[in-house]
Amino acid sequence: MTPKKDPEADVRAAWLVLGMHRSGTSAVTQLLALAGCDLPANLMPGDEHNAKGYFEPWTIAMFNDDRLHAAGSAWDDVFAHPFRPLEPTAERDFLDRAKALFEDEFGGDRHPLLKDPRITVLLPFWRNLFADLALEARCVIPVRHPLAVAGSLARRDGFPPEKSVLLWCAYMLAAEVHTRDLPRAFVSYDALLADWRTEVARAEAALGAPLPALTREAGVAIDRFLSPDLRHNTTHEGLEALGWAGALAQPVLAWFEAAAAGQIREVAPLQQATAELVRRKGEFGMLVSPAARDMDVLRSEAHKLKQQLAWDRRKADELRTDMQRDIETIQAKWQSDVTALQEQSLREVAEKEARLQALEAELEALRHAYARAGAQLDRILAES
């Protein structure tokens, strides 16, 4: 595999990984990172639910929670789609915060790689930020069966399958409608694990741009990363048993599976699904969204403290390591200086001893010379 030159190499573009939580967004993000895109500075660490890591900036994830809460929603609100704008002054305040966070995470990176599923339902907000930064966007949207997502969320969060499937619908509908005018690629998660090279080639063609640095070495690293243990929850049967939630998801799933296979379809089924979500929101959204928000506020605060604690511990460990390294450096320098002084002292003593011996030898030679001269003088005096 040889590196591909990006004809738009001088264009600064954000690579966005959009879609539902637990749908393969982390795996896609790591693939893009290994292929040359720039990860943020403050990555959320892995845990028992995602041992290889989430590859998303926890500072931006916490910010997105705040933005969702401000609109009376939450990441697990099944009515988070359609997007809920704030009044202009409040929205501007959030945009200023987002700009500062984005610059802290990415600085001047040419290919900033941004993944947080919350961005999917907040994409109109983030697109305003990208416009402020004169930053183009390229979108990669993993497609995974909603029941596979539901199985993962059941283990991690205890969600019933109906809620998870509706969440999947909300996120995927948002991902599609907010990216229609952007370069985007739909990627089958299962196909990616089976043959990532084919999927990446299709994605590059859809995006109209190659990955920044898909080298032979990157390919080897991606082979190692996309291991079989990333495939969980392969059961894809049972949507029909989930009532209206399953009925809503069926045509949405069919559309996205077709899109991931490169087939273009009319968006009418997606529009109908969105209209149904809006209708259901009108019926009982006032009971669901505030409860989801209030629960998530508490959960976010706990998570924020946990992340901050983990970050502080990591920084403390780094500081401890730096201090130990400095101590070892100082000790080595001190020992080196002591050894040098000792060697210098020994050399000086040896030099002085040698000089003393030389002087003693010279003195002895003079004594012998004086003795000979005295004897010779005595002979001369005796003869005269």
Side-chain angles (χ1 to χ4, degrees), residues 91-219:
E91 199 76 292
R92 185 69 254 174
D93 289 342
F94 273 102
L95 282 170
D96 290 342
R97 286 177 55 191
K99 181 179 180 181
L101 285 173
F102 189 87
E103 291 176 344
D104 285 344
E105 294 292 344
F106 296 104
D109 289 342
R110 300 302 302 169
H111 305 285
L113 174 55
L114 185 56
K115 173 255 179 180
D116 172 26
R118 298 163 185 81
I119 290 174
T120 306
V121 292
L122 290 173
L123 194 54
F125 168 87
W126 280 95
R127 289 191 62 172
N128 287 335
L129 175 67
F130 298 147
D132 285 353
L133 297 174
L135 191 63
E136 296 187 7
R138 296 169 183 167
C139 307
V140 182
I141 304 169
V143 178
R144 192 180 188 190
H145 198 285
L147 288 180
V149 172
S152 183
L153 288 174
R155 286 198 309 275
R156 192 187 75 174
D157 300 293
F159 290 171
E162 291 84 356
K163 174 174 179 173
S164 295
V165 166
L166 287 174
L167 274 175
W168 180 89
C169 288
Y171 274 75
M172 298 307 289
L173 290 169
E176 190 284 322
V177 74
H178 298 320
T179 61
R180 285 181 189 171
D181 60 335
L182 294 175
R184 66 182 183 179
F186 299 97
V187 177
S188 166
Y189 180 64
D190 290 337
L192 186 76
L193 296 183
D195 181 8
W196 68 264
R197 288 172 175 82
T198 298
E199 286 300 295
V200 165
R202 290 184 57 259
E204 289 178 324
L207 292 168
L211 298 182
L214 188 51
T215 62
R216 184 180 301 276
E217 293 75 14

Side-chain angles (χ1 to χ4, degrees), residues 52-371:
K52 293 191 176 183
Y54 290 88
F55 307 104
E56 66 188 52
W58 67 269
T59 56
I60 289 179
M62 296 299 99
F63 166 84
N64 284 331
D65 279 333
D66 290 344
R67 173 57 184 78
L68 286 166
H69 299 161
S73 188
W75 76 266
D76 62 335
D77 177 8
V78 299
F79 299 121
H81 175 71
F83 173 72
R84 306 178 192 180
L86 303 179
E87 58 90 13
T89 300
E91 199 76 292
R92 185 69 254 174
D93 289 342
F94 273 102
L95 282 170
D96 290 342
R97 286 177 55 191
K99 181 179 180 181
L101 285 173
F102 189 87
E103 291 176 344
D104 285 344
E105 294 292 344
F106 296 104
D109 289 342
R110 300 302 302 169
H111 305 285
L113 174 55
L114 185 56
K115 173 255 179 180
D116 172 26
R118 298 163 185 81
I119 290 174
T120 306
V121 292
L122 290 173
L123 194 54
F125 168 87
W126 280 95
R127 289 191 62 172
N128 287 335
L129 175 67
F130 298 147
D132 285 353
L133 297 174
L135 191 63
E136 296 187 7
R138 296 169 183 167
C139 307
V140 182
I141 304 169
V143 178
R144 192 180 188 190
H145 198 285
L147 288 180
V149 172
S152 183
L153 288 174
R155 286 198 309 275
R156 192 187 75 174
D157 300 293
F159 290 171
E162 291 84 356
K163 174 174 179 173
S164 295
V165 166
L166 287 174
L167 274 175
W168 180 89
C169 288
Y171 274 75
M172 298 307 289
L173 290 169
E176 190 284 322
V177 74
H178 298 320
T179 61
R180 285 181 189 171
D181 60 335
L182 294 175
R184 66 182 183 179
F186 299 97
V187 177
S188 166
Y189 180 64
D190 290 337
L192 186 76
L193 296 183
D195 181 8
W196 68 264
R197 288 172 175 82
T198 298
E199 286 300 295
V200 165
R202 290 184 57 259
E204 289 178 324
L207 292 168
L211 298 182
L214 188 51
T215 62
R216 184 180 301 276
E217 293 75 14
V220 172
I222 293 169
D223 283 332
R224 286 197 300 264
F225 176 77
L226 292 179
S227 56
D229 63 338
L230 290 175
R231 183 181 279 106
H232 305 289
N233 304 300
T234 56
T235 300
H236 292 173
E237 302 296 333
L239 281 176
E240 65 280 356
L242 301 183
W244 72 270
L248 180 70
Q250 286 279 15
V252 178
L253 174 61
W255 192 96
F256 277 97
E257 287 182 335
Q263 301 170 17
I264 300 175
R265 291 191 174 186
E266 294 294 328
V267 297
L270 306 185
Q271 294 170 335
Q272 293 168 4
T274 299
E276 177 64 7
L277 272 182
V278 171
R279 186 180 75 81
R280 295 285 182 169
K281 177 183 176 182
E283 289 181 349
F284 51 84
M286 72 292 296
L287 304 176
V288 173
S289 294
R293 176 203 59 205
D294 294 345
M295 179 72 73
D296 198 49
V297 167
L298 297 176
R299 188 166 50 212
S300 294
E301 286 300 318
H303 188 61
K304 188 181 298 183
L305 290 173
K306 180 181 177 181
Q307 292 297 328
Q308 188 63 56
L309 180 59
W311 181 255
D312 290 343
R313 283 175 175 168
R314 192 156 57 248
K315 287 298 183 183
D317 289 342
E318 291 174 359
L319 180 60
R320 188 179 298 110
T321 300
D322 290 343
M323 290 177 63
Q324 183 62 35
R325 185 168 53 248
D326 290 344
I327 290 171
E328 291 173 356
T329 300
I330 292 170
Q331 287 177 335
K333 181 66 167 59
W334 172 81
Q335 187 61 49
S336 175
D337 290 345
V338 168
T339 301
L341 287 172
Q342 289 174 338
E343 291 174 351
Q344 180 180 356
S345 298
L346 291 173
R347 282 197 304 271
E348 290 175 352
V349 168
E351 289 172 356
K352 289 177 179 178
E353 288 178 346
R355 179 59 179 160
L356 179 59
Q357 291 174 358
L359 289 174
E360 289 176 344
E362 289 178 9
L363 180 59
E364 186 64 21
L366 286 173
R367 285 179 182 152
H368 286 297
Y370 284 140

